[in-house]
Amino acid sequence: DVDFVIIRENTEGEYSGLEHQSFPGVVESLKIITRPKTERIARYAFDYALRNGRKKVTIVHKANIMKLADGLFLNTCRAIAKEYPSVQYNDMIVDNTAMQLVSRPQQFDVMVMPNLYGSIVSNIGAGLIGGPGIVPGANYGREFAIFEPGSRHVAKDIQGRNTANPSSLILSSVMMLRHLQLGEHADRIEHAVSKTLSIDGVRTPDLGGSHSTTDFTKAVIRNL
């Protein structure tokens, strides 16, 4: 009963890479928030809600402390929200968001947030439903798109064991196919993954099973 989408601004914020040492032992890291990029990600979130029959967008921020940077993000998102009267919206401070995700995740539908918060929240979301092996993701630009697992995890602890869950990578390819308007192909693959997990019960150790990556992949192929 957990079904929410995380939409993360992916080009600025704390990930801008603007750091310097102003004095030995003192490092300053710049957080960049701009109105144009916030408007773009906010519109994407509300457009996504409309296209996919979603009812609410939650704006995640820390404007109570970072009054200028996150204040700009929050106020810009609120302004964009007024352009979409049929979509409900609310806002939530990021630390409260973390607690609410763990205690009552069903309240969330579409979530939009700056870069760093998106990284943290996506990992919490992955943990709620079984781990990083199950969550797909996509990066959309003006001209290009990249599809990859939604929660990045190196997983060196299982390297070479043939136990990794390939669902997140397969489902990311499903998102790519839908982006390319190949809906029938995407549906077939998504159904095959769902049947493998829920009906056949073929699951890798991260989901409480004992099957290998190879076992899972072959089961998905059989179900196509």
Side-chain angles (χ1 to χ4, degrees):
D1 59 350
V2 175
D3 181 15
F4 59 85
V5 176
I6 299 165
I7 296 176
R8 162 190 177 187
E9 205 294 318
N10 208 25
T11 64
E12 49 184 23
E14 292 85 352
Y15 282 44
S16 300
L18 299 174
E19 295 184 314
H20 62 273
Q21 183 171 262
S22 56
F23 186 82
V26 179
V27 173
E28 296 178 332
S29 179
L30 300 180
K31 174 175 180 171
I32 307 298
I33 298 289
T34 63
R35 182 175 285 108
K37 290 190 176 181
T38 301
E39 287 177 341
R40 184 171 68 175
I41 198 68
R43 281 202 175 89
Y44 181 88
F46 281 92
D47 283 341
Y48 181 93
L50 279 179
R51 290 196 312 268
N52 292 277
R54 299 279 181 162
K55 297 181 179 177
K56 184 175 73 171
V57 173
T58 299
I59 306 161
V60 179
H61 65 93
K62 190 65 177 173
N64 58 321
I65 300 298
M66 286 172 275
K67 300 184 188 304
L68 291 179
D70 280 33
L72 175 61
F73 185 88
L74 174 59
N75 290 329
T76 302
C77 286
R78 284 174 171 170
I80 296 299
K82 294 177 182 178
E83 300 175 12
Y84 299 83
S86 63
V87 179
Q88 302 172 40
Y89 81 94
N90 67 336
D91 63 81
M92 190 175 292
I93 296 171
V94 64
D95 36 348
N96 183 36
T97 301
M99 181 182 71
Q100 295 294 331
L101 277 167
V102 174
S103 61
R104 198 162 62 89
Q106 297 83 2
Q107 68 185 283
F108 296 105
D109 194 355
V110 174
M111 308 170 74
V112 61
M113 62 203 73
N115 208 338
L116 178 62
Y117 309 155
S119 177
I120 296 167
V121 167
S122 62
N123 277 271
I124 296 173
L128 288 172
I129 62 170
I134 203 75
V135 181
N139 303 275
Y140 296 104
R142 293 188 185 279
E143 298 181 38
F144 305 103
I146 299 173
F147 300 83
E148 60 181 345
S151 175
R152 294 162 189 165
H153 183 60
V154 177
K156 285 193 173 181
D157 54 323
I158 59 171
Q159 183 177 358
R161 297 186 182 181
N162 196 27
T163 58
N165 186 344
S167 298
S168 60
L169 195 58
I170 297 172
L171 293 174
S172 295
S173 73
V174 168
M175 295 181 73
M176 179 186 71
L177 290 169
R178 291 209 170 101
H179 180 67
L180 296 172
Q181 307 298 316
L182 297 172
E184 182 180 348
H185 299 76
D187 291 344
R188 287 181 61 197
I189 296 172
E190 186 175 47
H191 175 75
V193 172
S194 178
K195 184 175 185 297
T196 298
L197 289 169
S198 60
I199 298 176
D200 298 347
V202 178
R203 298 175 184 173
T204 45
D206 60 315
L207 298 179
S210 59
H211 295 87
S212 68
T213 306
T214 302
D215 294 334
F216 185 90
T217 305
K218 287 181 177 179
V220 171
I221 293 170
R222 284 196 304 269
N223 286 324
L224 283 172

